Every structure is written in structure tokens, then in C-alpha cells.
Amino acid sequence: MAGTDNREPWDDYKQLLKELELYDPSLLDKPRLVVANKMDEAIAGENEACSKEIKKVYAAASPRV
């Protein structure tokens, strides 16, 4: 969630969902777990908005959660 590679984590998550859908749409119906790593990096503390955005994207893509 630190975004140290100049990508937004929620964009990566959306892309992953698209790839899963292309591979096998039924995978989107399965429960999923999102884990944030690298939260010990200094920049992660500055990016609380990122955490909120991930939660919004996750909730929108996971109606059963």
C-alpha cells in the first residue's frame, strides 16, 4: 500500500479482478482476501487514503463481503 513503484494499489487490484474474470468468471464469485504488505515503510503512513480506496474498491467488487 505504500505505492513505492508509482502504481496505485487499487488500480492493481482492479486489474487483477479483470484478469481473473478473463481466465474464469466464476472465480469472481469466490471469497477473497486482500492483504496489505510493506506497511512498515515510511511512505505507507502517509497513504491512509489508499487504504480507504482499497476498501471501497473491495466492497464494490465483493458484494457478499
Side-chain angles (χ1 to χ4, degrees):
M1 301 216 9
T4 55
D5 53 4
N6 295 322
R7 292 191 329 252
E8 299 296 349
W10 54 85
D11 290 336
D12 289 346
Y13 182 67
K14 289 177 186 177
Q15 181 62 38
L16 178 60
L17 292 176
K18 287 179 189 176
E19 291 176 18
L20 285 173
E21 184 175 30
L22 290 172
Y23 178 74
D24 182 353
S26 70
L27 291 174
L28 296 178
D29 295 330
K30 296 186 179 285
R32 52 180 106 57
L33 179 67
V34 175
V35 178
N37 66 351
K38 299 186 181 180
M39 294 302 290
D40 58 331
E41 293 184 8
I43 195 170
E46 301 170 10
N47 209 350
E48 184 178 336
C50 177
S51 175
K52 290 178 182 177
E53 186 66 24
I54 285 282
K55 288 177 184 177
K56 282 194 273 185
V57 171
Y58 183 78
S62 307
R64 298 183 307 160
V65 176

